[in-house]
Amino acid sequence: MFVDQVRIYVKGGDGGNGAVSFRREKYVPMGGPAGGDGGRGGDVVFVVDEGLRTLVDFRYQKHFKAPRGENGRNKGQHGAGAEDLVVRVPPGTTVIDDDTGEIIADLVEHGQRAVIAKGGRGGRGNIRFATPANPAPHISENGEPGQERYVRLELKLIADVGLVGYPSVGKSTLLASVTAAKPKIAAYHFTTLTPNLGVVDLGERSFVMADLPGLIEGAHEGVGLGHQFLRHVERTRLIVHVIDMAAVDGRDPVEDFHQINRELKLYNLKLEERPQIVAANKMDLPEAKENLRRFQEQVPGVTVYEISAATRQGVQELMHAVADLLETLPDKPTVEEVAEVEERVVFRAEKEPEPFEISRDNEVYVVSGEKIEKLVRMTNLNSYDSVQRFARMMRSMGVDEALRRRGAKDGDTVRIGDFEFEFVE
């Protein structure tokens, strides 16, 4: 089964919780805090494995969650960090954030790694909160939640040469005649339902060729089957445009040539600049010679190789010409641009928007925002001192003042994440 597009859920491991502990050794009066920090959660890491060819494994497993870090211990011992969760993907996999459409990684080389979901840092133990004013704190943090997201994986086959053209022009026959690939060949449209790969061996030279399902007019908008596989053309270094020069189906070879190139251009402007060789197929049929003469008159300046994939006429000459041209082209496949993410520190000012939002859910005031919700999850709500620290941080962030401006009064219920509490002015 060929699968080239899936949607999965990934989550980095949560950090371990910090510990609250005190030294109780003999002859050490008032030993002080000794609770260690929690360990860091594991990352979800994608690694390219050249032994894989499709994304079929992701059809059966769609959730990937890295392990969480160990909790902190007494005697100042920190919890161990968790191991990363390694997920193997085939070469040519593009990872896209499903919510924002941002390209997270484009993985093309064997062994290439990318962190897709980061693990959370470990929570601090009470040894971190000791101060001269509070030498024995009962405060600790829960581990930071790991990053979670839905991502879309799109596989773009990495092939040196891509065969494009209308259905039934002979692409599969050509692939079968020069490689050991066994594509399905039949006398009806859309026989090829999935891309087929084959290695062309010319002795000292070889290259990978892909037979892509037939394109038709409107393919870039989703018409026909070819639109599902247009993305695979993007990786190829060279396009071999196969044309039925005998016009067996009654189509005009000149119009076919222009229409397929329009579809490639409308799908991706960069494909217009991709080197292209025209293979005039079915030249063993009587009508082909006249159509070829007319084609060369109306499309001047295009190199055309006369072949018959069925009889192998001119096929070796075409393959050697392809190999010669490939030697002049860059060896690396086309890679998507991945935006560089900078770590930013945002300083609050009166005129800047607050890092949270307040809404109403019936009689409940709901405070939402990444920072405030993470703060709740990292607060040990079973500790009085930790809750008091959380209240002080909310006041410093301006949450109390904002709630009052929204009309909150004593006794009203406030919800932050899954935590509800009673508002007190």
Side-chain angles (χ1 to χ4, degrees):
M1 180 188 297
F2 185 84
V3 179
D4 65 347
Q5 192 169 16
V6 293
R7 179 177 180 267
I8 63 172
Y9 169 81
V10 293
K11 184 183 186 306
D14 297 339
N17 298 333
V20 174
S21 175
F22 296 91
R23 294 177 62 187
R24 294 181 176 84
E25 300 159 21
K26 192 175 183 181
Y27 307 121
V28 185
M30 303 183 66
D37 299 345
R40 183 175 181 81
D43 298 333
V44 178
V45 182
F46 282 13
V47 179
V48 177
D49 184 346
E50 63 184 4
L52 301 177
R53 283 291 174 263
T54 77
L55 300 173
V56 66
D57 293 342
F58 297 95
R59 290 285 294 269
Y60 307 104
Q61 182 180 356
K62 290 182 176 289
H63 288 73
F64 297 86
K65 185 176 180 180
R68 64 172 296 145
E70 285 189 1
N71 294 336
R73 305 176 185 177
N74 56 10
K75 298 184 180 179
Q77 299 178 63
H78 300 331
E83 293 186 358
D84 295 338
L85 174 64
V86 176
V87 181
R88 304 197 176 277
V89 298
T93 301
T94 303
V95 187
I96 304 169
D97 189 298
D98 195 54
D99 294 326
T100 65
E102 175 190 357
I103 296 175
I104 302 169
D106 197 8
L107 306 170
V108 296
E109 298 179 358
H110 178 67
Q112 186 178 351
R113 301 167 64 91
V115 176
I116 306 304
K118 293 183 179 180
R121 68 172 178 84
R124 293 175 291 178
N126 68 332
I127 197 172
R128 301 289 188 186
F129 295 96
T131 64
N134 184 13
H138 287 74
I139 300 173
S140 68
E141 287 180 332
N142 292 336
E144 180 184 27
Q147 185 181 20
E148 57 182 323
R149 65 199 337 175
Y150 280 93
V151 296
R152 196 167 68 252
L153 307 185
E154 291 185 354
L155 175 62
K156 300 177 183 178
L157 290 180
I158 297 180
D160 298 303
V161 180
L163 300 177
V164 301
Y166 264 88
S168 299
V169 295
K171 299 186 300 296
S172 298
T173 305
L174 176 59
L175 181 72
S177 69
V178 295
T179 72
K182 305 284 185 196
K184 183 178 179 181
I185 300 172
Y188 57 85
H189 289 181
F190 299 116
T191 309
T192 303
L193 299 178
T194 63
N196 294 298
L197 283 174
V199 178
V200 179
D201 188 358
L202 299 177
E204 295 182 355
R205 300 185 295 180
S206 64
F207 54 87
V208 178
M209 190 159 67
D211 162 30
L212 306 176
L215 305 176
I216 61 175
E217 185 176 358
H220 71 283
E221 296 177 335
V223 177
L225 292 177
H227 76 282
Q228 301 175 30
F229 308 106
L230 270 168
R231 70 176 70 91
H232 300 299
V233 185
E234 296 181 64
R235 297 285 194 205
T236 59
R237 298 159 56 202
L238 173 65
I239 295 173
V240 173
H241 193 155
V242 184
I243 297 176
D244 175 8
M245 201 56 71
V248 173
D249 289 335
R251 293 194 308 269
D252 180 7
V254 176
E255 181 58 31
D256 283 3
F257 173 78
H258 291 305
Q259 185 59 54
I260 294 299
N261 282 330
R262 275 196 295 269
E263 293 302 322
L264 295 175
K265 178 182 177 181
L266 289 170
Y267 177 74
N268 188 333
L269 274 173
K270 293 180 181 178
L271 293 179
E272 187 179 24
E273 303 170 0
R274 197 65 45 89
Q276 186 175 129
I277 288 178
V278 174
N281 194 23
K282 304 184 184 180
M283 291 303 296
D284 54 319
L285 299 180
E287 301 86 354
K289 289 293 183 184
E290 177 58 29
N291 287 334
L292 176 60
R293 184 190 61 78
R294 187 170 56 85
F295 180 90
Q296 290 175 322
E297 289 177 355
Q298 297 186 26
V299 189
V302 174
T303 304
V304 180
Y305 288 85
E306 302 178 36
I307 69 167
S308 171
T311 66
R312 297 180 60 84
Q313 168 194 339
V315 170
Q316 281 303 309
E317 291 80 357
L318 172 64
M319 293 300 105
H320 282 287
V322 168
D324 290 340
L325 185 52
L326 285 175
E327 289 180 352
T328 67
L329 301 177
D331 196 28
K332 297 223 172 194
T334 304
V335 179
E336 295 284 353
E337 295 183 3
V338 180
E340 294 184 4
V341 180
E342 300 177 2
E343 293 292 334
R344 296 181 178 87
V345 179
V346 179
F347 297 94
R348 281 196 66 213
E350 288 186 1
K351 295 184 180 179
E352 291 184 354
E354 297 174 337
F356 55 84
E357 294 181 358
I358 298 177
S359 57
R360 291 286 295 268
D361 182 8
N362 294 327
E363 299 300 318
V364 178
Y365 289 88
V366 180
V367 182
S368 57
E370 182 179 357
K371 183 177 179 180
I372 189 69
E373 290 179 21
K374 182 184 291 187
L375 180 61
V376 170
R377 290 194 292 267
M378 295 184 68
T379 298
N380 181 4
L381 300 176
N382 295 320
S383 165
Y384 174 79
D385 288 353
S386 295
V387 173
Q388 290 297 105
R389 173 175 175 267
F390 171 67
R392 290 194 298 272
M393 294 183 71
M394 277 209 310
R395 280 196 294 273
S396 67
M397 291 174 65
V399 176
D400 288 10
E401 181 182 352
L403 284 169
R404 282 194 290 271
R405 289 202 302 266
R406 284 298 301 268
K409 296 187 171 27
D410 283 353
D412 287 345
T413 302
V414 178
R415 182 194 307 145
I416 305 176
D418 296 328
F419 176 50
E420 289 191 355
F421 59 93
E422 186 176 291
F423 180 70
V424 178
E425 287 194 72

